[in-house]
Amino acid sequence: MKLLILMQNGLLPTINSVKKSKLMIAPGSTSEKQLFLLDAYALIYRSYFAFIQNPRYNSKGLNTSAIFGFVNTLDQLVRSVKPSHIAVAFDLHEPTFRHKLYEQYKANREEMPEDLRLSIPYIRQIIKANNIPIIEVPGFEADDVIGTMSCMAEKEGYTVFMVTPDKDYAQLVNEHVFMYKPKRSGGDIEIWGIKEVLDKFGIESTKQVIDILGLMGDSSDNIPGCPGIGPKTATKLIQDYKSIDGIFQNISKIKGKQQEKIQLNEEQIRLSRKLATIILDVPLPVKPDDLVAKESNIPLLKELYTELEFRGLLSKLTESVLPKAPAYGQGTLFSFESPVEEPEKKMDDLTTITHHYFLMDTPSLRADLRADLSIQVQFCFDTETTGLDTHSAELVCLSFSFCAHEAYCVPIPTDRKEAMAVVGEFKSIFEDERILKIGQNIKYDMLMLKYYGVEIKGPMFDTMIAHYLIQPELRHNLDYLCEIYLNYKKVKTESLIGPKGKSQKTMRVVPVDKLREYACEDADYTLQLKPILESELKTQGAYDLFCRVEMPLVPVLADMEKTGMILNPSELDAYAVQLRSQIVVVEKEIIEMAGESFNISSPKQLGIILFEKLKLDSKVKRTKSKQYTTGEEVLEKLADRHPIIGKVLEYRSLKKLLSTYVEALPLLINTSTGRIHSSFNQTITATGRLSSNNPNLQNIPIRDENGREIRKAFTASDEDHVFLSADYSQIELRIMAALSGDHHMLEAFRNGEDIHAATASKIYKIPIEEVSSDMRRKAKTANFGIIYGISAFGLSQRLNISRTEAKQLIDGYFVSFPEIREYMDKSIAVAREKGYVQTILGRKRYLNDINSANAVVRGVAERNAINAPIQGSAADIIKIAMVKIWEQFNKENIQSKLILQVHDELDFDVLKSELERVKKIVRDGMENAIQIGVPLIIEMKAADNWLDAH
């Protein structure tokens, strides 16, 4: 652990190791007693909103974001810091003395989100299971409890660390009391001593923090402060006059409206100062010595972490994490009023059932197994291999199961010829179209068998995909499914071959008895999952989507992955030279504009140039390490301030293209096949869209000329083939028209009009032939932005127009297309009633936060309620098209191949002699995938490479 401890004497030592697992204490202090006081709700809210865009859920649908974040902070403290004393302070849900002083105190706060409210009992149980005292006092806030305890502990020789992200605590900092700000992702822990507070606030004494807060107020707590006085003005006033009292004693020296505002609001300012002051004499029911750290209750923590599905934390619970001492039992609550007893959380023991797993390692045993498999209606199978890359890995064994708790393992020889022979024995079984094949991530097994000359034919059932349709936002791996559906804990892969990394072994070295148990277990429990998941698919109305779209797509994707794409490295090598030359030119231009040489790739050096030397923005935010923020979003807002900004953005774009694509893609060419083989994933995105990785070909930038050039390196396979690209035209807008039934938009699409020009015509109330290119551009942005619930602020930024004009544009849009507004309102209403929305084909997107009382949380869910049916329907449509095209290719024995899908685009490697026939098949498959009441139109083009095919 790395702690940055900045002490009042001005030294800034970085401590890279913590001697004897103890936190370093302040200079001059000889105390070994370190008391950590955690502000519960400040940490809980911080954790919850850190995951707001991508919340964590367990299999029961509980949002565990806040619990996970809080527990990680707590775990880091008790494991790494090992404090001698520790406690957690909670606010009670009742008025405090501040509410009596000021009725509107915290009146503007949003209600606690419902899923966060459900998290609190779990957090309290975990605190108690760690035998950490909880302190709460009626009429006072956690700030006051921590402030009072800090004051008491300091007098008794403790070094105190207040664990909180709340800046208000800075007023309490002294030579023995510090603020401990837990680290965020990618950052360091911050510890504020006197010097840090003085530097942060620009003041002479930590006590002046209260005066600054009194002047500027606090919108989160609804502390009014002085109207028109912000942080900078408040700081300047306190710097000049030392305190609020000093300001009023020197009020005649303050000029103009500022003097008037301060005089007019004197009573309010003094009240605000009182509200912001942390109380130091709360009648506490406990003393510092009572807060000694105790040994955790490991069995109870295991039970809680199991229910919450915190597997990483579970793996750490192998030993006690705190010093041995008499435990508090179930934890200690220090409070004047006992809280309502929380229900006890239990989990049934994971069951152990007798099973029969057999090793089929002779020709006669394999023959017996084939005979049994050949008469089954269904069987489950699995492969164990030497690696995850299907294009280079080797089979180690096959496993089969057709009866619960019974399975068979077939070892595959190391010698390739012998291996092909053994796998070939099962070819007729795998290719028997009468038998249903069951698997977990069956596409992987299909690909492995393809390299051994075996195709999987007939109906299939993939448990991973089934669960994805049931709970799209949860995990879908086999270990997880076995635990939540079968109450069974599988053998961990790592227990056989070690943890992931360069030193990990392969299944080839696992002893055969352990290999048999592991491989058979996979097949056995996947078989047992099948009827459970099949029943859930039917119950939730997703079985037709599973059978009609997702399962037929599996062999399509497997074929695409095996075929791969041709990449011309020499094309990229030539382009790399060009890019490097461009980078040098841009770099020189930037340095000339800056007037000095510096490292453009260094955010620190760039920040100094932009914000100190060129003074482009005096209000730009800084990171925790006090560096200027120079992210893309920040720079884009400053683009009109100085031409250097555009050049910096261009420089970064060129560098990213070079490193991420131009230099990296050739390294991904498979040495065995000479092609790039991307993996296409069906179970990643909640909307139903496919994703790709290794490499992610869907993310190659195409909006600018430099990005598009990368596509030029992807070519047809040889001179007898061409690259054919087919792209849906405005499919999401067509789906919006179909779902909303808006007659203006439907009419425009049915008449084949330019939809963006037609939209502009309606908004600006002019004939379509009078629409300017700028009007069309704005209408186009509005068209696509509306789908994603864009706000006036977002539209103004995207179009670089005023917020007023953006609002007028959006208002005009909804006047012109009223049914779209009705569709959006209806989508949100349906989501609030049912808890989910659906695509045209019934794919569900669950929106657990749609009824949240918190506006930020609810807003995210509302935008998803509008967009998910549209984006998900587009995903369903192109998947159906892929299946139709692939099946027609097979039916007609077409040699051309579907090789790539990028959202609304399909790409093919086409034999020139088949081009016209392939075009007809592709057009029919894409434009007639399903009927939605609006024509589905595609654009097609053939060329030698991907770029020219657009």
Side-chain angles (χ1 to χ4, degrees), residues 32-97:
E32 287 293 328
K33 298 189 295 185
Q34 297 145 20
L35 171 60
F36 278 71
L37 299 170
L38 284 72
D39 182 349
Y41 279 112
L43 296 169
I44 289 167
Y45 269 95
R46 171 183 178 269
S47 300
Y48 180 78
F49 284 102
F51 288 94
I52 193 68
Q53 294 294 338
N54 189 24
R56 296 173 58 97
Y57 291 93
N58 71 355
S59 59
K60 298 174 184 175
L62 174 70
N63 185 331
T64 60
S65 302
I67 311 171
F68 181 75
F70 182 90
V71 173
N72 267 321
T73 297
L74 190 62
D75 184 73
Q76 181 270 324
L77 277 175
V78 297
R79 285 182 174 277
S80 301
V81 179
K82 299 191 186 323
S84 64
H85 296 70
I86 188 169
V88 180
F90 274 85
D91 298 318
L92 290 171
H93 299 292
E94 57 182 80
T96 68
F97 75 93

Side-chain angles (χ1 to χ4, degrees), residues 177-233:
V177 178
F178 300 85
M179 281 182 68
Y180 182 105
K181 303 184 76 173
K183 66 180 177 181
R184 291 183 181 272
S185 177
D188 285 333
I189 293 163
E190 288 185 55
I191 297 183
W192 286 10
I194 295 173
K195 183 179 186 301
E196 290 66 58
V197 173
L198 301 188
D199 289 347
K200 183 73 176 177
F201 286 87
I203 51 181
E204 298 175 357
S205 166
T206 59
K207 299 300 181 186
Q208 291 175 314
V209 170
I210 306 172
D211 295 282
I212 289 177
L213 295 174
L215 277 174
M216 61 182 273
D218 187 337
S219 59
S220 64
D221 288 341
N222 206 33
I223 297 176
C226 181
I229 301 292
K232 287 192 174 181
T233 305

Side-chain angles (χ1 to χ4, degrees), residues 5 92 118 120 166 211 225 245 283 306 340 377 500 507 595 712 717 729 733 735 749 816 840 856-857 877:
I5 302 186
L92 290 171
L118 294 173
I120 304 303
D166 189 346
D211 295 282
D245 290 337
T306 299
V340 176
V377 175
K500 293 179 180 178
M507 284 291 177
K712 193 173 183 180
S717 55
S729 172
L733 292 181
I735 292 169
F749 277 124
S816 303
I840 293 170
V856 176
V857 175
I877 289 170

Side-chain angles (χ1 to χ4, degrees), residues 117-135:
R117 192 182 302 279
L118 294 173
S119 301
I120 304 303
Y122 286 96
I123 291 172
R124 292 177 70 98
Q125 288 181 75
I126 289 168
I127 295 168
K128 291 180 181 181
N130 277 291
N131 288 306
I132 295 173
I134 293 175
I135 314 174

